[in-house]
Short mmCIF file of all heavy atoms in Angstrom, two decimals:
data_model
loop_
_atom_site.label_atom_id
_atom_site.label_comp_id
_atom_site.label_asym_id
_atom_site.label_seq_id
_atom_site.Cartn_x
_atom_site.Cartn_y
_atom_site.Cartn_z
N GLU A 202 -1.53 4.92 -1.02
CA GLU A 202 -0.44 3.98 -1.23
C GLU A 202 0.82 4.35 -0.47
O GLU A 202 1.49 3.50 0.11
CB GLU A 202 -0.13 3.87 -2.73
CG GLU A 202 0.96 2.86 -3.06
CD GLU A 202 1.22 2.75 -4.54
OE1 GLU A 202 0.55 3.45 -5.33
OE2 GLU A 202 2.12 1.97 -4.92
N ALA A 203 1.16 5.64 -0.44
CA ALA A 203 2.39 6.06 0.22
C ALA A 203 2.38 5.72 1.71
O ALA A 203 3.39 5.28 2.26
CB ALA A 203 2.60 7.56 0.03
N TYR A 204 1.22 5.90 2.35
CA TYR A 204 1.11 5.61 3.79
C TYR A 204 1.40 4.14 4.06
O TYR A 204 2.22 3.80 4.92
CB TYR A 204 -0.28 5.99 4.29
CG TYR A 204 -0.60 5.46 5.67
CD1 TYR A 204 0.05 5.95 6.79
CD2 TYR A 204 -1.55 4.45 5.84
CE1 TYR A 204 -0.23 5.46 8.06
CE2 TYR A 204 -1.83 3.95 7.09
CZ TYR A 204 -1.18 4.46 8.20
OH TYR A 204 -1.46 3.96 9.45
N PHE A 205 0.72 3.24 3.33
CA PHE A 205 0.91 1.82 3.58
C PHE A 205 2.29 1.34 3.12
O PHE A 205 2.86 0.43 3.72
CB PHE A 205 -0.20 1.01 2.91
CG PHE A 205 -1.53 1.17 3.60
CD1 PHE A 205 -2.56 1.88 3.01
CD2 PHE A 205 -1.75 0.61 4.85
CE1 PHE A 205 -3.77 2.03 3.64
CE2 PHE A 205 -2.95 0.77 5.51
CZ PHE A 205 -3.98 1.47 4.90
N SER A 206 2.83 1.95 2.07
CA SER A 206 4.17 1.57 1.60
C SER A 206 5.21 1.85 2.68
O SER A 206 6.18 1.10 2.84
CB SER A 206 4.53 2.33 0.33
OG SER A 206 3.70 1.94 -0.74
N SER A 207 5.01 2.92 3.45
CA SER A 207 5.98 3.26 4.49
C SER A 207 6.05 2.16 5.54
O SER A 207 7.09 1.95 6.17
CB SER A 207 5.61 4.59 5.15
OG SER A 207 4.42 4.48 5.92
N TYR A 208 4.95 1.43 5.75
CA TYR A 208 4.94 0.35 6.73
C TYR A 208 5.37 -0.98 6.12
O TYR A 208 5.33 -2.01 6.78
CB TYR A 208 3.55 0.23 7.38
CG TYR A 208 3.34 1.28 8.44
CD1 TYR A 208 2.76 2.51 8.13
CD2 TYR A 208 3.79 1.08 9.74
CE1 TYR A 208 2.60 3.49 9.09
CE2 TYR A 208 3.64 2.05 10.72
CZ TYR A 208 3.04 3.25 10.39
OH TYR A 208 2.90 4.22 11.35
N GLY A 209 5.76 -0.96 4.84
CA GLY A 209 6.34 -2.15 4.24
C GLY A 209 7.82 -2.26 4.53
O GLY A 209 8.43 -3.29 4.29
N HIS A 210 8.42 -1.17 5.05
CA HIS A 210 9.85 -1.18 5.40
C HIS A 210 10.03 -1.83 6.77
O HIS A 210 9.32 -1.52 7.73
CB HIS A 210 10.41 0.24 5.40
CG HIS A 210 10.30 0.91 4.06
ND1 HIS A 210 11.04 0.52 2.98
CD2 HIS A 210 9.54 1.95 3.63
CE1 HIS A 210 10.75 1.28 1.94
NE2 HIS A 210 9.83 2.15 2.30
N TYR A 211 11.02 -2.70 6.87
CA TYR A 211 11.19 -3.49 8.09
C TYR A 211 11.72 -2.67 9.25
O TYR A 211 11.47 -2.99 10.41
CB TYR A 211 12.12 -4.68 7.81
CG TYR A 211 11.66 -5.52 6.66
CD1 TYR A 211 12.54 -5.96 5.68
CD2 TYR A 211 10.31 -5.88 6.54
CE1 TYR A 211 12.10 -6.72 4.61
CE2 TYR A 211 9.87 -6.63 5.46
CZ TYR A 211 10.76 -7.05 4.50
OH TYR A 211 10.33 -7.80 3.45
N SER A 212 12.46 -1.60 8.97
CA SER A 212 13.09 -0.83 10.05
C SER A 212 12.06 -0.22 10.97
O SER A 212 12.27 -0.15 12.19
CB SER A 212 13.97 0.26 9.45
OG SER A 212 13.22 1.13 8.62
N ILE A 213 10.93 0.22 10.43
CA ILE A 213 9.91 0.85 11.28
C ILE A 213 9.30 -0.17 12.23
O ILE A 213 8.99 0.13 13.38
CB ILE A 213 8.83 1.53 10.41
CG1 ILE A 213 7.95 2.43 11.30
CG2 ILE A 213 7.97 0.51 9.66
CD1 ILE A 213 7.02 3.32 10.50
N HIS A 214 9.17 -1.43 11.78
CA HIS A 214 8.62 -2.47 12.65
C HIS A 214 9.65 -2.88 13.72
O HIS A 214 9.29 -3.17 14.86
CB HIS A 214 8.19 -3.67 11.82
CG HIS A 214 7.06 -3.36 10.90
ND1 HIS A 214 5.75 -3.31 11.32
CD2 HIS A 214 7.05 -3.04 9.58
CE1 HIS A 214 4.98 -2.97 10.30
NE2 HIS A 214 5.74 -2.80 9.24
N GLU A 215 10.92 -2.87 13.32
CA GLU A 215 11.97 -3.15 14.31
C GLU A 215 11.95 -2.09 15.40
O GLU A 215 12.06 -2.42 16.59
CB GLU A 215 13.33 -3.18 13.62
CG GLU A 215 14.48 -3.46 14.57
CD GLU A 215 15.83 -3.46 13.88
OE1 GLU A 215 15.86 -3.40 12.63
OE2 GLU A 215 16.86 -3.50 14.58
N GLU A 216 11.82 -0.83 15.01
CA GLU A 216 11.79 0.26 15.99
C GLU A 216 10.60 0.10 16.94
O GLU A 216 10.74 0.26 18.16
CB GLU A 216 11.71 1.60 15.28
CG GLU A 216 11.70 2.79 16.23
CD GLU A 216 11.51 4.13 15.52
OE1 GLU A 216 11.16 4.13 14.33
OE2 GLU A 216 11.68 5.16 16.19
N MET A 217 9.43 -0.25 16.39
CA MET A 217 8.24 -0.40 17.25
C MET A 217 8.37 -1.60 18.18
O MET A 217 8.01 -1.53 19.36
CB MET A 217 7.00 -0.51 16.38
CG MET A 217 6.62 0.78 15.67
SD MET A 217 5.01 0.74 14.84
CE MET A 217 5.33 -0.42 13.51
N LEU A 218 8.90 -2.72 17.67
CA LEU A 218 9.05 -3.91 18.50
C LEU A 218 10.07 -3.69 19.61
O LEU A 218 9.94 -4.22 20.71
CB LEU A 218 9.44 -5.10 17.64
CG LEU A 218 8.36 -5.63 16.69
CD1 LEU A 218 8.94 -6.64 15.73
CD2 LEU A 218 7.20 -6.24 17.47
N LYS A 219 11.10 -2.89 19.32
CA LYS A 219 12.13 -2.62 20.33
C LYS A 219 11.68 -1.57 21.34
O LYS A 219 12.38 -1.34 22.35
CB LYS A 219 13.43 -2.18 19.65
CG LYS A 219 14.16 -3.32 18.95
CD LYS A 219 15.45 -2.84 18.29
CE LYS A 219 16.22 -3.99 17.69
NZ LYS A 219 17.46 -3.55 17.01
N ASP A 220 10.55 -0.92 21.08
CA ASP A 220 9.97 0.04 22.03
C ASP A 220 9.29 -0.78 23.13
O ASP A 220 8.14 -1.20 23.00
CB ASP A 220 8.97 0.94 21.30
CG ASP A 220 8.40 2.02 22.21
OD1 ASP A 220 8.48 1.87 23.44
OD2 ASP A 220 7.85 3.01 21.68
N LYS A 221 10.02 -1.01 24.20
CA LYS A 221 9.51 -1.90 25.25
C LYS A 221 8.28 -1.33 25.95
O LYS A 221 7.39 -2.08 26.35
CB LYS A 221 10.62 -2.17 26.27
CG LYS A 221 11.71 -3.10 25.75
CD LYS A 221 12.62 -3.55 26.88
CE LYS A 221 13.60 -4.60 26.38
NZ LYS A 221 14.44 -5.11 27.49
N VAL A 222 8.24 -0.01 26.12
CA VAL A 222 7.07 0.59 26.77
C VAL A 222 5.83 0.24 25.98
O VAL A 222 4.81 -0.19 26.53
CB VAL A 222 7.24 2.12 26.88
CG1 VAL A 222 5.96 2.75 27.41
CG2 VAL A 222 8.41 2.46 27.78
N ARG A 223 5.89 0.44 24.67
CA ARG A 223 4.75 0.16 23.79
C ARG A 223 4.40 -1.33 23.80
O ARG A 223 3.27 -1.73 24.11
CB ARG A 223 5.10 0.60 22.37
CG ARG A 223 4.20 -0.02 21.29
CD ARG A 223 4.91 0.05 19.94
NE ARG A 223 4.12 -0.50 18.86
CZ ARG A 223 4.21 -1.74 18.41
NH1 ARG A 223 5.04 -2.60 19.00
NH2 ARG A 223 3.47 -2.15 17.40
N THR A 224 5.38 -2.17 23.45
CA THR A 224 5.10 -3.59 23.21
C THR A 224 4.76 -4.33 24.50
O THR A 224 3.81 -5.12 24.55
CB THR A 224 6.30 -4.25 22.50
OG1 THR A 224 6.64 -3.48 21.34
CG2 THR A 224 5.96 -5.66 22.08
N GLU A 225 5.52 -4.07 25.54
CA GLU A 225 5.26 -4.79 26.80
C GLU A 225 3.98 -4.33 27.47
O GLU A 225 3.35 -5.11 28.21
CB GLU A 225 6.46 -4.63 27.73
CG GLU A 225 7.69 -5.35 27.22
CD GLU A 225 8.89 -5.22 28.15
OE1 GLU A 225 8.73 -4.60 29.24
OE2 GLU A 225 9.97 -5.74 27.81
N SER A 226 3.55 -3.10 27.20
CA SER A 226 2.27 -2.65 27.76
C SER A 226 1.12 -3.47 27.18
O SER A 226 0.22 -3.90 27.92
CB SER A 226 2.06 -1.16 27.46
OG SER A 226 3.01 -0.37 28.14
N TYR A 227 1.15 -3.69 25.88
CA TYR A 227 0.12 -4.53 25.26
C TYR A 227 0.22 -5.97 25.76
O TYR A 227 -0.79 -6.60 26.09
CB TYR A 227 0.28 -4.51 23.73
CG TYR A 227 -0.31 -3.30 23.06
CD1 TYR A 227 0.46 -2.17 22.81
CD2 TYR A 227 -1.64 -3.29 22.65
CE1 TYR A 227 -0.08 -1.05 22.19
CE2 TYR A 227 -2.19 -2.19 22.02
CZ TYR A 227 -1.41 -1.07 21.80
OH TYR A 227 -1.95 0.02 21.18
N ARG A 228 1.44 -6.50 25.79
CA ARG A 228 1.62 -7.89 26.24
C ARG A 228 1.13 -8.09 27.67
O ARG A 228 0.36 -9.02 27.95
CB ARG A 228 3.11 -8.26 26.15
CG ARG A 228 3.40 -9.69 26.56
CD ARG A 228 4.88 -9.86 26.90
NE ARG A 228 5.25 -9.05 28.08
CZ ARG A 228 6.50 -8.91 28.50
NH1 ARG A 228 7.49 -9.47 27.86
NH2 ARG A 228 6.75 -8.18 29.58
N ASP A 229 1.56 -7.20 28.57
CA ASP A 229 1.21 -7.36 29.97
C ASP A 229 -0.30 -7.22 30.17
O ASP A 229 -0.89 -7.95 30.99
CB ASP A 229 1.95 -6.33 30.83
CG ASP A 229 3.46 -6.57 30.83
OD1 ASP A 229 3.88 -7.66 30.39
OD2 ASP A 229 4.20 -5.65 31.24
#
Side-chain angles (χ1 to χ4, degrees):
E202 183 179 359
Y204 167 69
F205 288 109
S206 294
S207 69
Y208 281 92
H210 299 291
Y211 306 134
S212 59
I213 192 170
H214 295 280
E215 180 181 352
E216 181 185 12
M217 290 189 291
L218 290 170
K219 287 180 176 178
D220 184 341
K221 287 191 173 184
V222 174
R223 162 201 180 265
T224 308
E225 292 181 3
S226 294
Y227 279 93
R228 182 199 64 187
D229 294 347

